[in-house]
Amino acid sequence: MAQTVFAPWDNPDEKPLIQFKNVTKRFGDFTAIDNLTQDIYTREFFALLGPSGCGKTTMMRMLAGFENPSEGQILIAGQDMAGVPPNKRPVNMMFQSYALFPHLSVWDNIAFGLRREGAEKTQLAARVEQMLKLTRLERFARRKPHQISGGQRQRVALARSLAKAPKLLLLDEPLGALDKKLRQDTQFELMDIQEKTGTTFVIVTHDQEEAMTVASRVAVMDEGRIMQVATPAVIYEQPNSVYVADFIGDVNIIEGAATPHPQADGYSVAWAEGQPQFHAKTNRSFAPGQKCFLALRPEKVAISAEPPEEAANRIQGKIIDIAYLGNISTYHVRLPNGTMMKAQTANTRRLSRRSLTWEDAVWLSWTDTAAAVLEG
Amino acid sequence: MMTHRFLSLTAAAALLASAATAEEVRVYNWSDYIDEALLEKFEAETGIDLIYDVFDSNEVLETKLLAGGSGYDVVVPTGSFLQRQIQAGVFQKLDTSKLTNMGNMWDVIQDRTARFDPDNAYSVNYMWGTTGIGVNTAKVAEVLGEGAPVDSLALIFDPANMEKLQACGVHMLDAPDEVVPAALTYLGLDPNTQEADDLAKAEALLMSVRPYVQKFHSSEYINALANGDICVALGWSGDILQARDRAAEAENGVEIAYNAPKEGALMWFDQMAVPADAPNPDAAHKFINFIMDAQNMAAASNYVYYANGNKASQAFLAEDVIGDPAIYPTAEALANTYIKGPYPPKVQRVVTRLWTKVKSGI
Amino acid sequence: MRRALLIAVPYLWLLALFLVPFLIVLKISLSDTALAIPPYLPTLDFTEGWAGIWGFLQELDFENFTFLTQDELYWRAYLSSVQIALISTVLTLLVGYPIAYGMASAPEHWRATLMMLVILPFWTSFLIRVYSWMGILSNEGLLNQLLQGLGLIDQPLIILNTNTAVYIGIVYTYLPFMILPIYAALEKMDAALLEAAEDLGCSRLTAFWLVTVPLSRQGIIAGCFLVFIPALGEFVIPSLLGGSGTLMIGKVLWEEFFNNRDWPVASAVAVILLLILIIPIILFQRNEQKQREREG
């Protein structure tokens, strides 16, 4: 059965739900958002990812209406949001602290927004029950927020923000307060709920794994700008900048000078004097001798005791350190010129039978498509 | 409450030299009621460390005394309070052998104070005075005409007068023991009556003028009279004379006069006495005897403008004290005064209740 | 052992500072007046042993309490005190809440200063502060001079020696007791709660009513009690700022004690005053207890 790929951003006929048009936000001298333009589409699970202070929270708060842009326009469903207060927007938010009303029961917390709408009693009750069911909180309806666990509170916050069936749900670090195991479970639950309700989610997070897991598209932000917007796979495999490559996952960055390769299509990269050049293929074009960066994921670097045959790139080095992570091991290898490089292998064998150890001389190898060649 | 502690450097040195014999005497007197130079003089003469505290109502003094253990050696209650306190066993009899100045006392006053303290066994008079009417002469004349009855209780108890006077302001003492006898006197009844019917008549009279009284208060009238804020006050002679002098000093054109009512004026006496549990009765006697000295007593009266019960002191009194009939009334006026004794508890309750009704209307 | 000690300390404290004095006052209220030191009978004499104590107990009676019911003065004074205390409490709340709210919403670095400003008047004697209000409110006082100077009034406003002055005095004096607990409640409130309320459809005002007010409820109740209880027995403010007609139980008690020298009746008045206060305190405590139980 053919399944259509969900990619409304590639469809020129699709109308975006949210439009940022040249939005700038300044707090005094500080520019939080710098002339930002971005569309987000209906049913998307859009992640804003970046370090603290990058402007991701400011973007979310402008969507919710708690902040107003200094310049530019924000449109939701085609309507300019300028001057529309938070309580008049088709948007709900799940707060980082959950912001559950401590004086109200779980039930009343979820019903809070519906009551403000003046929802009819039986409909209101039905909707609250539905939300309780969706978030598996039926048993806790009568409890106060301080009488339930952190994970349950997180679900109450989610149920409360979804109760009004908003066009857009904003989630501010929704899983930040949960421990790692619960966080992973909840990530899938979030995706499941997003799919069931068909709501557009915009999530703010500094946790790249979380963004990669849940989002249909990830926007990597830095200093008030979006560096790259793409699906998690593209962000990971084809970062458009050293910043993005470095921010997402583990990466070896090698600086060098590119020269078009005479035989194979691609470039030879001179990266250190007296060392063999590396070969890499890319869509980007570089002038001969232009400065470039190779971004090479450790898991794409093979490590072996014997010299590999037919590898596009290979180089010898010595194991300095091994980080054993259970499922994988990361080897820190020193190249002849002193550069450190990381290589990763999956631990498919038991520990005792592994052959490589400290101080071993090893070969590192990778294909010519393994590394992304970046301009900066 | 303010505590004045007088201890000169020389006295301190003397005390250090004879620490074993260091003595102190604690005196509790009305506020603004002595020339403070006298206190230093006492310390210098006797070497006794004098601790001088002040109070401003008989009730406060009495409550301290009745609770016991006040720690004072000499206190100065008013006669009617003294009488009841003697009955309660608060005081010790004075040792007249230690009061060498007893011969200075004035028999006219001694006869009267013996009504509260038979044989003057427990107390010696400090000062005395009358309760009467202070008026702002010009304002009262303006409201009531030249023939205003400024020397009569009719000024404050006739509603017709009061109705006119309320515009320029009337204060009365907040003291039922003073005002109720005055009302009874105006009605021609015995000021010491304990009859419910008579007291009811006094109450009716007071209720009839109550709406015209700006305030019942026992000290505010001094300033209010002096500033011209009010024109009539039923108050204590010395206080009203003080208001008169303040107005004269301020040269604000306000002229205050004091009159003892012609229907009869209440005469009161503040008496020095020694509590039964006084820590140092010997020093207490020394202090009382010191005050009984003719020159010392005259100095006190010259300072506070109240008459005293010390005949010998009259030779040393200033002319504006001894010569002022408002302070030292003529023999004729003195004959026209009465003394008010204490009420027994049941009657006291009735009078207090009456007074609450007069003030609050309930 | 440690635990028993921890519990014992506050109980001993209560016993020494509350129960024992209360029992003494209660005992006096059941006695009769006498011209003696102290001015009531009987007094407890332990030298006669049990017979002395038995004889002492037999002489106690409720006569003084009966007496209080026979004169409308007393219940009217209680009622008027309750009324004045209630009105003052409401006024203090109305003035204090916005101040506490402003303090809690002020930038962090300002709060210590604002708190200081609230507490600062306590460094001056209470009497001096009340006296200075006499200077402000009197006919020739600062307020009237200002208003007349501005041409707003021709005749001086008569405020001093009226109930209005009493309200002003009580509100002024007890304001910090209202502000501090409310501020404490508001300050620990998460600002995100208000944003959440707005996000869920509240206007600023409804968010205030539905979130801020309920969450500061404990502070409001604590503040109201801290104002109401001392205001009910207040004596100094009504005697200095109030008029002759200002009827408050503290004043009646003073008169019983000082003018009538009737310590037993004065004590009876005090015992009833305490009962009037204890009932709302117990109700309040019970309410708190229930609340805590409900919250687990």
Side-chain angles (χ1 to χ4, degrees):
Chain A
M1 195 173 82
Q3 194 175 0
T4 25
V5 178
F6 176 70
W9 48 88
D10 289 335
N11 182 355
D13 295 336
E14 191 79 31
K15 281 244 161 68
L17 177 67
I18 301 166
Q19 291 165 284
F20 282 87
K21 290 186 173 174
N22 303 98
V23 172
T24 296
K25 175 67 183 176
R26 280 181 288 266
F27 295 104
D29 292 338
F30 175 69
T31 305
I33 298 292
D34 191 3
N35 191 25
L36 185 144
T37 300
Q38 179 65 45
D39 291 348
I40 299 171
Y41 295 86
T42 306
R43 301 178 70 92
E44 256 204 274
F45 200 139
F46 192 89
L48 292 164
L49 177 65
S52 55
C54 71
K56 58 189 193 297
T57 305
T58 306
M59 269 183 81
M60 168 163 289
R61 290 177 60 81
M62 286 196 293
L63 280 174
F66 299 129
E67 308 286 355
N68 290 310
S70 310
E71 284 164 30
Q73 251 188 332
I74 297 175
L75 285 77
I76 297 179
Q79 190 199 345
D80 187 355
M81 284 290 123
V84 181
N87 56 332
K88 299 272 190 277
R89 295 189 179 202
V91 174
N92 283 121
M93 179 152 166
M94 190 186 139
F95 290 79
Q96 185 174 8
S97 63
Y98 307 147
L100 298 180
F101 302 123
H103 58 299
L104 299 179
S105 66
V106 166
W107 206 97
D108 289 323
N109 261 287
I110 296 172
F112 191 91
L114 298 167
R115 291 216 165 101
R116 305 287 82 71
E117 272 178 346
E120 191 266 323
K121 235 182 179 176
T122 50
Q123 275 176 0
L124 179 142
R127 179 68 182 162
V128 172
E129 295 301 333
Q130 192 186 347
M131 285 296 120
L132 285 168
K133 203 171 162 203
L134 182 71
T135 49
R136 295 180 288 111
L137 283 167
E138 296 101 319
R139 282 169 48 219
F140 308 105
R142 293 289 145 216
R143 299 238 186 125
K144 289 276 178 70
H146 67 269
Q147 293 167 318
I148 56 178
S149 72
Q152 288 159 350
R153 260 176 250 169
Q154 190 267 349
R155 298 211 300 273
V156 177
L158 184 64
R160 186 180 70 178
S161 50
L162 281 172
K164 289 175 79 175
K167 282 184 186 159
L168 171 62
L169 182 69
L170 306 170
L171 303 102
D172 186 4
E173 304 271 7
L175 311 175
L178 305 182
D179 59 61
K180 191 166 173 157
K181 180 78 178 63
L182 191 56
R183 195 154 64 216
Q184 283 172 349
D185 294 346
T186 315
Q187 282 166 2
F188 290 106
E189 210 170 85
L190 265 186
M191 292 160 74
D192 189 40
I193 287 171
Q194 197 253 348
E195 208 156 295
K196 273 189 199 158
T197 57
T199 311
T200 307
F201 278 26
V202 172
I203 184 173
V204 154
T205 181
H206 66 277
D207 179 345
Q208 41 116 349
E209 244 180 79
E210 184 171 297
M212 305 287 278
T213 311
V214 299
S216 57
R217 279 198 299 167
V218 176
V220 181
M221 293 189 68
D222 185 41
E223 293 182 340
R225 269 186 284 240
I226 290 181
M227 306 303 288
Q228 185 172 11
V229 182
T231 60
V234 171
I235 289 273
Y236 191 76
E237 302 290 349
Q238 302 163 34
N240 65 358
S241 61
V242 173
Y243 177 83
V244 173
D246 200 23
F247 191 79
I248 306 285
D250 218 352
V251 72
N252 295 299
I253 304 285
I254 300 159
E255 188 181 340
T259 317
H261 200 276
Q263 288 100 37
D265 49 340
Y267 292 87
S268 293
V269 177
W271 62 283
E273 241 172 83
Q275 297 295 326
Q277 298 194 340
F278 294 146
H279 303 287
K281 286 183 178 170
T282 180
N283 304 335
R284 291 189 174 81
S285 51
F286 290 85
Q290 192 186 338
K291 186 169 129 182
C292 72
F293 295 87
L294 293 174
L296 183 57
R297 300 284 176 197
E299 74 273 15
K300 294 202 165 67
V301 180
I303 184 165
S304 55
E306 301 300 317
E309 291 168 26
E310 291 186 17
N313 297 287
R314 65 178 191 179
I315 190 162
Q316 204 169 13
K318 193 157 99 182
I319 297 177
I320 298 300
D321 209 353
I322 306 173
Y324 174 68
L325 298 172
N327 54 342
I328 53 165
S329 290
T330 305
Y331 296 88
H332 293 246
V333 176
R334 185 156 62 210
L335 304 187
N337 71 335
T339 308
M340 296 299 295
M341 199 154 177
K342 281 180 273 185
Q344 231 166 37
T345 56
N347 292 327
T348 49
R349 295 191 193 181
R350 295 291 298 277
L351 192 62
S352 54
R353 298 174 63 186
R354 280 202 346 256
S355 52
L356 298 173
T357 185
W358 287 270
E359 300 295 318
D360 281 0
V362 290
W363 286 91
L364 301 178
S365 60
W366 61 91
T367 66
D368 55 3
T369 52
V373 189
L374 305 170
E375 288 167 23
Chain B
M1 212 157 282
M2 292 223 298
T3 303
H4 306 282
R5 197 186 172 97
F6 297 95
L7 191 66
S8 66
L9 278 174
T10 48
L15 276 174
L16 281 173
S18 57
T21 59
E23 253 193 294
E24 59 176 35
V25 62
R26 291 167 184 269
V27 177
Y28 198 35
N29 196 359
W30 292 82
S31 51
D32 297 323
Y33 213 30
I34 201 161
D35 179 356
E36 293 186 351
L38 283 172
L39 306 178
E40 286 169 35
K41 190 179 169 195
F42 174 77
E43 287 194 328
E45 275 182 18
T46 62
I48 296 172
D49 186 5
L50 173 62
I51 295 161
Y52 189 83
D53 286 350
V54 298
F55 60 87
D56 58 5
S57 90
N58 268 310
E59 285 82 1
V60 170
L61 169 64
E62 179 168 80
T63 305
K64 282 200 183 205
L65 292 173
L66 288 178
S70 67
Y72 291 109
D73 297 301
V74 178
V75 296
V76 191
T78 301
S80 55
F81 285 81
L82 173 89
Q83 182 174 1
R84 188 169 47 221
Q85 288 153 10
I86 290 170
Q87 287 164 19
V90 166
F91 299 116
Q92 56 180 274
K93 282 197 174 171
L94 295 176
D95 182 350
T96 44
S97 68
K98 290 178 184 169
L99 301 176
T100 53
N101 291 327
M102 200 50 129
N104 291 344
M105 299 312 287
W106 189 9
D107 55 346
V108 173
I109 300 305
Q110 292 282 81
D111 288 351
R112 285 178 160 81
T113 57
R115 296 265 300 277
F116 306 112
D117 175 12
D119 301 329
N120 292 301
Y122 290 90
S123 67
V124 173
N125 180 253
Y126 179 61
M127 304 256 182
W128 58 270
T130 52
T131 302
I133 300 166
V135 293
N136 181 327
T137 332
K139 277 200 179 167
V140 172
E142 189 185 310
V143 173
L144 291 178
E146 286 300 328
V150 293
D151 60 347
S152 167
L153 289 170
L155 188 75
I156 52 168
F157 290 133
D158 183 345
N161 289 334
M162 285 293 279
E163 199 179 343
K164 291 176 193 151
L165 287 171
Q166 70 165 322
C168 64
V170 179
H171 275 200
M172 280 190 193
L173 288 171
D174 185 7
D177 281 18
E178 308 273 351
V179 184
V180 172
L184 289 164
T185 306
Y186 174 69
L187 292 169
L189 299 165
D190 174 9
N192 271 303
T193 185
Q194 297 178 9
E195 296 297 324
D197 288 352
D198 292 349
L199 290 172
K201 284 176 194 157
E203 178 185 313
L205 176 68
L206 287 166
M207 289 302 280
S208 71
V209 295
R210 164 185 178 268
Y212 313 119
V213 178
Q214 197 186 82
K215 187 156 192 181
F216 294 95
H217 199 281
S218 294
S219 59
E220 262 180 37
Y221 65 90
I222 307 176
N223 273 328
L225 266 182
N227 296 341
D229 286 343
I230 60 170
C231 59
V232 174
L234 175 64
W236 289 305
S237 52
D239 285 353
I240 289 166
L241 296 175
Q242 223 176 315
R244 178 190 71 184
D245 295 344
R246 279 188 206 174
E249 272 170 35
E251 292 176 1
N252 57 2
V254 173
E255 201 177 296
I256 306 295
Y258 174 79
N259 285 294
K262 67 179 183 199
E263 292 88 348
L266 190 151
M267 195 172 171
W268 49 261
F269 308 87
D270 288 337
Q271 302 286 107
M272 294 183 284
V274 182
D277 56 3
N280 193 350
D282 192 53
H285 282 81
K286 281 185 189 154
F287 180 80
I288 293 173
N289 201 44
F290 171 82
I291 294 293
M292 286 163 76
D293 175 80
Q295 292 197 38
N296 292 342
M297 194 66 242
S301 280
N302 286 338
Y303 191 82
V304 300
Y305 284 81
Y306 273 104
N308 64 57
N310 194 310
K311 179 83 176 166
S313 76
Q314 291 176 7
F316 304 101
L317 287 175
E319 183 49 38
D320 66 339
V321 175
I322 188 75
D324 189 340
I327 300 174
Y328 276 92
T330 58
E332 188 190 346
L334 212 50
N336 192 26
T337 59
Y338 60 90
I339 292 166
K340 155 88 183 46
Y343 293 120
K346 289 253 149 42
V347 182
Q348 180 68 52
R349 173 168 292 290
V350 172
V351 172
T352 305
R353 184 67 186 85
L354 177 165
W355 191 243
T356 305
K357 184 168 183 182
V358 168
K359 285 197 296 176
S360 64
I362 297 168
Chain C
M1 188 57 212
R2 244 181 85 87
R3 199 179 144 75
L5 203 71
L6 276 177
I7 296 171
V9 168
Y11 274 91
L12 282 175
W13 184 266
L14 259 183
L15 195 73
L17 292 181
F18 179 77
L19 199 62
V20 170
F22 173 73
L23 286 177
I24 293 174
V25 172
L26 183 67
K27 184 214 117 180
I28 298 175
S29 74
L30 301 175
S31 312
D32 295 315
T33 46
L35 204 53
I37 306 174
Y40 52 85
L41 280 174
T43 45
L44 198 48
D45 186 2
F46 287 108
T47 54
E48 283 174 48
W50 287 112
I53 295 172
W54 180 241
F56 161 78
L57 288 175
Q58 275 182 319
E59 280 184 57
L60 299 178
D61 56 51
F62 287 92
E63 195 187 17
N64 297 312
F65 291 94
T66 320
F67 172 77
L68 293 188
T69 62
Q70 287 161 353
D71 191 333
E72 59 172 343
L73 170 73
Y74 299 100
W75 66 261
R76 285 180 75 158
Y78 282 119
L79 213 64
S80 144
S81 296
V82 169
Q83 187 190 339
I84 288 176
L86 272 180
I87 294 175
S88 310
T89 305
V90 171
L91 290 174
T92 314
L93 179 62
L94 290 179
V95 177
Y97 199 100
I99 297 177
Y101 189 85
M103 279 169 68
S105 355
E108 196 109 17
H109 58 276
W110 272 101
R111 290 185 198 168
T113 315
L114 292 172
M115 176 80 87
M116 192 72 179
L117 289 175
V118 170
I119 299 172
L120 205 61
F122 275 100
W123 293 6
T124 323
S125 152
F126 162 66
L127 269 182
I128 290 176
R129 284 181 284 139
V130 176
Y131 268 107
S132 60
W133 273 108
M134 292 173 75
I136 294 169
L137 298 177
S138 71
N139 288 3
E140 300 293 323
L142 292 175
L143 180 69
N144 275 315
Q145 283 180 6
L146 180 74
L147 292 178
Q148 281 173 315
L150 293 174
L152 294 174
I153 50 170
D154 302 329
Q155 289 296 312
L157 296 173
I158 296 171
I159 303 174
L160 190 64
N161 302 329
T162 66
N163 281 0
T164 312
V166 175
Y167 292 133
I168 291 173
I170 294 179
V171 169
Y172 168 76
T173 305
Y174 294 110
L175 196 56
F177 295 106
M178 185 64 87
I179 292 176
L180 295 179
I182 294 177
Y183 169 72
L186 289 176
E187 202 222 3
K188 63 181 180 202
M189 202 178 89
D190 184 1
L193 289 176
L194 287 181
E195 289 189 342
E198 279 186 64
D199 186 68
L200 292 167
C202 287
S203 66
R204 288 265 165 96
L205 194 68
T206 42
F208 175 79
W209 278 116
L210 292 172
V211 179
T212 312
V213 170
L215 286 181
S216 52
R217 189 174 141 258
Q218 299 305 326
I220 294 173
I221 292 176
C224 285
F225 272 87
L226 287 178
V227 173
F228 180 80
I229 291 168
L232 188 64
E234 185 55 60
F235 167 69
V236 173
I237 295 170
S239 32
L240 291 181
L241 299 178
S244 312
T246 305
L247 189 66
M248 282 193 82
I249 199 69
K251 239 167 138 181
V252 171
L253 202 152
W254 197 94
E255 274 166 9
E256 287 299 341
F257 198 73
F258 290 97
N259 289 2
N260 292 349
R261 276 167 303 285
D262 195 334
W263 291 22
V265 166
S267 300
V269 171
V271 167
I272 290 179
L273 179 63
L274 194 73
L275 291 180
I276 292 179
L277 285 174
I278 267 179
I279 291 164
I281 290 172
I282 289 175
L283 287 177
F284 168 66
Q285 288 287 9
R286 196 171 281 177
N287 175 50
E288 293 285 288
Q289 186 76 27
K290 269 189 198 156
Q291 175 100 356
R292 245 171 288 150
E293 276 164 17
R294 249 183 282 133
E295 284 171 7

